[in-house]
Amino acid sequence: MTPLDILRAHEPGQWTRPEDCASRTPLPIDEGDRVGVVLFNLGGPSTLGEVEPFLYRLLMDPLLLDVPVGGRMRRWLARSVAYLRAGTLREHYELIGGASPVPRLAREQATVLQDHLDARYGGPAGVGVRVYSAMRYGRPFPEKVAADMEADGVDKVVLVPSYPQYAAGTTGSALAYWKALGARGERPSWPTTVVPEYAANPKYVQAVSERIDEALQRFPRHVREEVALVFSAHGSVFDAQGPRKPPYCCHVHSTVDRVMQHRGRDRPFRTAFQSLMGPNHWLTPSTPDTIAALAEQGHRAVLVVPIAFVTDHVNVRYDLDVDVRETASAHGIDYFEVTAGLNTHPLFIEALGEATMAQLDVPIDTNQRRHGGDGHAQTYPLRPLQQLPRHKVTRDGACPTCGRQWGARRWTHPDRPTQSATATDRPASPPDERSSPLAESRSKEDP
Ligand SMILES: C=CC1=C(C)c2cc3[nH]c(cc4nc(cc5[nH]c(cc1n2)c(C)c5CCC(=O)O)C(CCC(=O)O)=C4C)c(C)c3C=C
Ligand SMILES: [Fe+2]
């Protein structure tokens, strides 16, 4: 399917909410079934020669970039901007190793996820699981992946976008493409379920927190205590209002809230949006502005935590690690670091596994000890990793920042079904009010 085909198939107003795509009931799986897990990603150029076609496909996506021109005019515009932007972008890719790391890292994630799903769930349940990596704007394209799945005899499908937070331009776009392929008869029609988001999955949250701890070790010991965190989400255009307003912002704030809750709100933090381009109405504040504001408030050490994507990529390794680092230095930030991507962090792979399994009804209870689970778990975060139980998902999380009911789905512990919403959703008090001049900003993010 060409970028022009997907533009023509696009119906405005669709795919702006997880509800537009998510299945509300788990997909029944029988013993002997072959389940194909499609791990969707944005993709990226694997060579410098692929930079311009990658950009063209991206700029032709009506869900990512909503501009008031269509058809051939849009194609001309996308080609021109891709041509103009490609020169600069190639330089950025050259600086980070000559290509996008996304395709390689996404393949690795798919391999490790497959091993995990097989060992933890598929094997004990007698279900064949195969994980496929598919890219929205690069290779392998979803149509090629669908052909492989057909050749492999897949019976049922789970679509797992690698984006933790739902945005129409990322998850929505991947699903719209998959749906359009089905509508055009370019892939078989399988019984299918979708993971809409996993922004508050406890293992995902814990994996982000571990990346923070690793990166804190890179700061000199004497400043470590005072490092401020800037959670940096990829920018998104923010013009739809009212009930169709996309939940992306609420999901990002949900993730940040859970990570800081997990860390006992140990230090000052901010949430910001990066890599904004063009004159659109982007989510604010921007990452560079936020760092400048922190410098003005007297902070000297900043750790940036990319939060809306799960591998290293050019907008982290160049935009943050090179460009924003210079901005930070110019504003007097003496110590500046960026966390590594989650990539194949074991807890993150387990989170993807839980998100996948939450959409499936498998023939046995994989929580039972004889099936590799841990039977009855009492406390969630302190259990050894291999013993963590499968979590159930509810849909009643509220955004910790604006209070709308579009926060991330809440993951409740199967052995503590009565756990109150307030215990998990309300920002925690700081563990102690230290007498440091930064203490007042530890407890809660500034507006
Ligand atoms: C123009 C509008 C764009 C929106 C809206 C947008 C949202 C968005 N993007 C990501 C994740 C990634 N985007 C990446 C690259 C990239 N994104 C845009 C445009 C928009 N993204 C462009 C033009 C590019 C190309 C790079 C550049 O020109 O700077 C990447 C990097 C891929 C790589 O190969 O390294 C990621 C990752 C999210 C999560 C998001 C959320 C709404
Ligand atoms: Fe992007």
Side-chain angles (χ1 to χ4, degrees), residues 216-234:
L216 285 172
Q217 300 304 311
R218 286 186 246 138
F219 288 82
R221 197 182 291 270
H222 69 278
V223 294
R224 236 172 253 167
E225 272 279 289
E226 302 303 333
V227 175
L229 304 179
V230 175
F231 291 91
S232 183
H234 201 293

Side-chain angles (χ1 to χ4, degrees), residues 12-17 20 239-247 404 406:
Q14 282 205 317
W15 307 103
T16 52
R17 300 176 308 175
D20 295 339
D239 39 16
Q241 294 295 329
R244 307 289 303 174
K245 192 169 167 183
R404 290 183 315 164
W406 294 340

Side-chain angles (χ1 to χ4, degrees), residues 42 58 64 234-235 277 315:
L42 189 105
L58 189 148
L64 188 79
H234 201 293
M277 46 195 111
N315 297 138

Side-chain angles (χ1 to χ4, degrees), residues 5-162:
D5 292 334
I6 187 83
L7 189 65
R8 288 195 179 120
H10 173 58
E11 292 165 36
Q14 282 205 317
W15 307 103
T16 52
R17 300 176 308 175
E19 287 75 11
D20 295 339
C21 60
S23 349
R24 283 165 198 272
T25 50
L27 184 65
I29 302 295
D30 301 314
E31 199 175 338
D33 273 349
R34 286 185 195 190
V35 178
V37 178
V38 186
L39 194 55
F40 267 107
N41 201 305
L42 189 105
S46 296
T47 63
L48 293 180
E50 286 179 18
V51 171
E52 198 176 324
F54 163 75
L55 270 176
Y56 167 69
R57 279 188 219 101
L58 189 148
L59 296 167
M60 279 293 280
D61 183 347
L63 278 155
L64 188 79
L65 195 56
D66 184 14
V67 288
V69 287
R72 287 173 196 283
M73 185 62 187
R74 167 86 184 224
R75 190 161 59 167
W76 174 83
L77 190 70
R79 277 201 200 293
S80 310
V81 177
Y83 173 76
L84 292 173
R85 171 86 183 146
T88 313
L89 192 54
R90 271 192 290 266
E91 283 172 21
H92 296 175
Y93 280 118
E94 245 169 330
L95 276 172
I96 65 163
S100 166
V102 172
R104 176 180 57 81
L105 292 167
R107 262 197 316 274
E108 289 175 13
Q109 286 175 334
T111 306
V112 182
L113 177 61
Q114 174 163 325
D115 289 348
H116 170 66
L117 284 173
D118 246 345
R120 176 69 182 82
Y121 305 101
V127 171
V129 184
R130 180 98 195 243
V131 181
Y132 301 82
S133 171
M135 301 297 174
R136 175 63 184 85
Y137 309 120
R139 284 172 218 287
F141 294 117
E143 40 269 64
K144 161 81 172 69
V145 170
D148 290 347
M149 289 163 63
E150 191 176 11
D152 291 345
V154 162
D155 303 303
K156 292 173 182 168
V157 172
V158 196
L159 305 178
V160 186
S162 0

